[in-house]
């Protein structure tokens, strides 16, 4: 735990301590949803499973859901889902999540405009964490509580 406090100054700044996942509100980036869906035994898979079973509250935006629906067919070799099954799956996630409209942001450290919408989702959500594997978003971890799935799981899951 001490190592995380040194690596993530915002934890120390806000006095955040590991708490039971059931009380957490987090934003999951598309890459976590994608990995968690395709590889259920992975750390992202465990996080998605915890969410789907009511163990953690997840906030998403329509942008994140649309991006997921757009990229899920790339994993069809693993999932074998039809377009209709992909739509139904994404709809089920929309039903489980709290949906917010992203706040408009323009962080100069983000090279990809799509990441602005993910950051905007996090800011609109008032969530404890943005959980992502996106390296560009992770560069903002000294300014926002942005963590990898592994760090989230080490702090709250296992």
């Amino acid at each position: 735990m001490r190592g995380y406090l040194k690596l993530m100054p915002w934890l120390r700044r806000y006095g955040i301590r590991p708490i039971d996942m059931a009380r957490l509100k987090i934003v999951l980036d598309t890459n976590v949803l994608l990995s968690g869906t395709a590889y259920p035994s992975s750390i992202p898979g465990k996080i998605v499973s915890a969410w789907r079973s009511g163990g953690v509250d997840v906030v998403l935006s329509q942008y994140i859901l649309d991006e997921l629906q757009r990229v899920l067919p790339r994993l069809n070799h693993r999932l074998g889902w039809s377009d209709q099954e992909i739509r139904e799956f994404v709809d089920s996630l929309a039903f489980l999540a709290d949906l917010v409209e992203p706040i408009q942001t323009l962080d100069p450290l983000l090279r990809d405009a799509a990441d602005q919408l993910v950051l905007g989702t996090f800011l609109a959500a008032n969530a404890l964490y943005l959980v992502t594997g996106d390296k560009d978003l992770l560069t903002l971890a000294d300014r926002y509580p942005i963590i990898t799935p592994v760090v989230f799981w080490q702090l709250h899951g296992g």
Side-chain angles (χ1 to χ4, degrees):
M1 169 74 172
R2 277 209 166 122
Y4 298 118
L5 292 178
K6 288 180 183 175
L7 293 174
M8 298 181 290
W10 45 265
L11 273 178
R12 192 172 51 248
R13 185 178 326 135
Y14 297 110
I16 297 171
R17 304 222 185 282
I19 56 176
D20 181 28
M21 262 201 304
R23 299 185 311 182
L24 293 178
K25 179 167 64 166
I26 62 174
V27 171
L28 297 178
D29 193 4
T30 307
N31 59 64
V32 177
L33 294 168
L34 191 64
S35 296
T37 301
Y39 304 96
S41 61
S42 68
I43 299 285
K46 291 176 183 179
I47 295 169
V48 170
S49 178
W51 167 40
R52 295 186 76 194
S53 64
V56 64
D57 291 332
V58 171
V59 181
L60 302 172
S61 62
Q62 192 60 52
Y63 170 77
I64 291 173
L65 291 169
D66 290 345
E67 185 179 38
L68 180 64
Q69 186 163 332
R70 186 177 51 78
V71 297
L72 265 173
R74 295 181 193 166
L75 291 178
N76 228 10
H77 66 281
R78 181 152 180 86
L79 299 171
W81 292 351
S82 69
D83 289 344
Q84 178 66 27
E85 288 170 315
I86 289 172
R87 278 191 301 278
E88 289 172 0
F89 175 73
V90 172
D91 287 347
S92 75
L93 297 184
F95 180 76
L96 287 174
D98 293 327
L99 294 180
V100 297
E101 187 67 31
I103 291 174
Q104 237 181 356
T105 61
L106 190 56
D107 195 299
L109 295 179
L110 291 176
R111 296 177 296 176
D112 186 353
D115 289 339
Q116 301 287 353
L117 291 168
V118 176
L119 180 62
T121 299
F122 169 72
L123 295 173
N126 289 318
L128 186 58
Y129 301 115
L130 168 56
V131 182
T132 185
D134 185 289
K135 293 187 186 324
D136 286 335
L137 283 166
L138 288 166
T139 63
L140 302 179
D142 61 336
R143 296 174 42 212
Y144 303 100
I146 300 173
I147 59 176
T148 65
V150 169
V151 170
F152 176 81
W153 196 252
Q154 287 173 335
L155 288 171
H156 302 289

